[in-house]
């Protein structure tokens, strides 16, 4: 009894250590965000862009089509999706370390002894089967090393997934901003062209009055400078529209079809008649 007691005590201590599996990793607590979790509202339940999804947030069909084209052509988004698959595979490998690796095998053999070599003078057949089952490798996770590796791989997967979502949100926002900027500059260009046409008509009236002696040369010069300023504004907005189209094409990864671009504002009927 005196010899068995120390052995039993050691067995109990070893069992307690194995059952406890002390984890030496520090307990991480995420710091509190400096912004409130919810924002005050005027009792109006409206879905945020993240909750509703960009397809529900943007209602313009042309803009939706351009965003879908950009998502299909963007290489950074493809790389982010591949990184998610890689992180998922790495997490599966790290988690596999928590379980033992079992190796199993089976085999069989059949032999024939000729009658000339057997005692009875007849051929004899012998069949033999074998099966193996063994534990090839297993690490006892005493201090939580394997569990921590699995948790790190899981958090890396979550990070990669969040990065892919952030890349998609950034791309959607950039394309929507560029498309709306193009739409706004298209309207400004139309307004500048209408202003130029109006100034030209005013200049023609003043020029006729000057020929009849009803307008002074100063009024004619002022009208000419106004026309030149309106022409410069129209040219500037024309250049800005081309820049917006190029920027949108870079974001989309291809030249968007003409039917997906913003439609310019409708021309005023009176202006169209005067221009014609």
């Amino acid at each position: 009894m005196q010899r068995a007691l120390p052995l039993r005590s050691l067995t109990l201590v070893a069992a307690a250590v194995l059952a406890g599996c002390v984890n030496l990793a520090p307990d991480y607590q995420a710091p509190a965000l400096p912004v409130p979790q919810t924002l005050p509202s005027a009792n109006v339940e409206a879905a945020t862009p993240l909750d509703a999804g960009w397809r529900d947030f943007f209602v313009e069909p042309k803009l939706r089509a351009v965003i879908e084209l950009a998502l299909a052509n963007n290489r950074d988004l493809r790389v982010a999706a591949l990184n998610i698959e890689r992180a998922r595979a790495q997490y599966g490998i790290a988690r596999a370390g928590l379980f033992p690796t079992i190796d199993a095998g089976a085999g069989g053999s059949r032999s024939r002894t000729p009658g000339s070599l057997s005692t009875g003078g007849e051929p004899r057949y012998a069949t033999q089967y074998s099966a193996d089952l063994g534990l090839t490798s297993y690490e006892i996770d005493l201090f939580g090393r394997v569990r921590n590796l699995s948790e790190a791989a899981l958090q890396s997967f979550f990070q990669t997934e969040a990065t892919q979502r952030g890349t998609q949100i950034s791309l959607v926002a950039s394309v929507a901003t560029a498309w709306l900027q193009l739409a706004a500059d298209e309207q400004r260009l139309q307004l500048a062209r209408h202003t130029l046409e109006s100034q030209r008509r005013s200049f023609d009236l003043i020029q006729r009055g000057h020929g009849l002696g009803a307008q002074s040369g100063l009024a004619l010069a002022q009208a000419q400078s106004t026309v030149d300023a309106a022409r410069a504004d129209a040219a500037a907005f024309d250049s800005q529209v081309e820049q917006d189209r190029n920027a949108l094409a870079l974001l989309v990864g291809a030249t968007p079809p003409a039917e997906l671009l913003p439609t310019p504002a409708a021309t005023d009927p009176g202006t169209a008649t005067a221009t014609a």
Side-chain angles (χ1 to χ4, degrees):
M1 290 295 294
Q2 294 181 356
R3 294 182 180 180
L5 184 57
L7 181 59
R8 182 180 300 177
S9 301
L10 292 177
T11 304
L12 293 177
V13 171
V17 172
L18 293 176
C21 292
V22 180
N23 195 337
L24 300 181
D27 186 12
Y28 174 76
Q29 298 293 335
L33 297 177
V35 297
Q37 295 293 335
T38 58
L39 298 178
S41 60
N43 297 327
V44 177
E45 295 183 359
T48 62
L50 293 179
D51 297 333
W54 67 266
R55 290 181 178 85
D56 299 328
F57 185 75
F58 297 107
V59 297
E60 172 60 41
K62 295 182 179 180
L63 178 56
R64 289 181 183 177
V66 172
I67 292 177
E68 290 178 354
L69 184 61
L71 292 176
N73 295 336
N74 190 266
R75 295 182 179 179
D76 293 337
L77 202 59
R78 295 178 186 175
V79 173
L82 294 177
N83 289 336
I84 288 180
E85 297 299 329
R86 183 180 63 179
R88 183 184 289 112
Q90 290 178 349
Y91 171 64
I93 295 175
R95 183 174 175 79
L98 296 173
F99 308 99
T101 303
I102 299 177
D103 187 15
S109 62
R110 184 178 177 85
S111 60
R112 177 180 179 276
T113 303
S116 58
L117 300 179
S118 61
T119 56
E122 296 180 358
R124 300 177 58 184
Y125 298 91
T127 305
Q128 183 179 3
Y129 300 98
S130 62
D132 299 327
L133 180 64
L135 184 66
T136 58
S137 63
Y138 180 61
E139 178 181 353
I140 300 177
D141 196 13
L142 296 178
F143 304 105
R145 188 186 75 88
V146 180
R147 283 178 295 167
N148 293 334
L149 290 177
S150 177
E151 181 66 21
L154 179 61
Q155 296 301 326
S156 177
F157 167 71
F158 289 154
Q159 177 188 1
T160 307
E161 192 175 25
T163 301
Q164 188 268 348
R165 181 174 177 82
T167 303
Q168 178 178 350
I169 293 175
S170 177
L171 178 61
V172 170
S174 299
V175 173
T177 301
W179 193 91
L180 294 175
Q181 183 65 40
L182 176 59
D185 290 339
E186 285 277 7
Q187 295 181 2
R188 293 176 181 175
L189 176 60
Q190 293 298 320
L191 180 59
R193 289 175 177 175
H194 295 166
T195 302
L196 175 60
E197 186 62 28
S198 177
Q199 295 297 333
R200 283 177 176 175
R201 293 199 302 268
S202 298
F203 173 77
D204 292 339
L205 293 176
I206 295 176
Q207 189 177 25
R208 292 175 185 177
H210 180 267
L212 298 175
Q215 295 289 342
S216 63
L218 178 60
L220 181 62
Q222 290 177 346
Q224 181 64 46
S225 63
T226 304
V227 172
D228 294 339
R231 184 182 294 109
D233 292 340
F237 282 116
D238 193 5
S239 176
Q240 184 63 41
V241 166
E242 292 300 326
Q243 293 179 10
D244 294 341
R245 290 178 180 175
N246 294 335
L248 183 61
L250 289 177
L251 289 173
V252 174
T255 302
E259 59 271 13
L260 298 182
L261 295 178
T263 303
T267 306
D268 181 58
T271 305
T273 303
T275 305

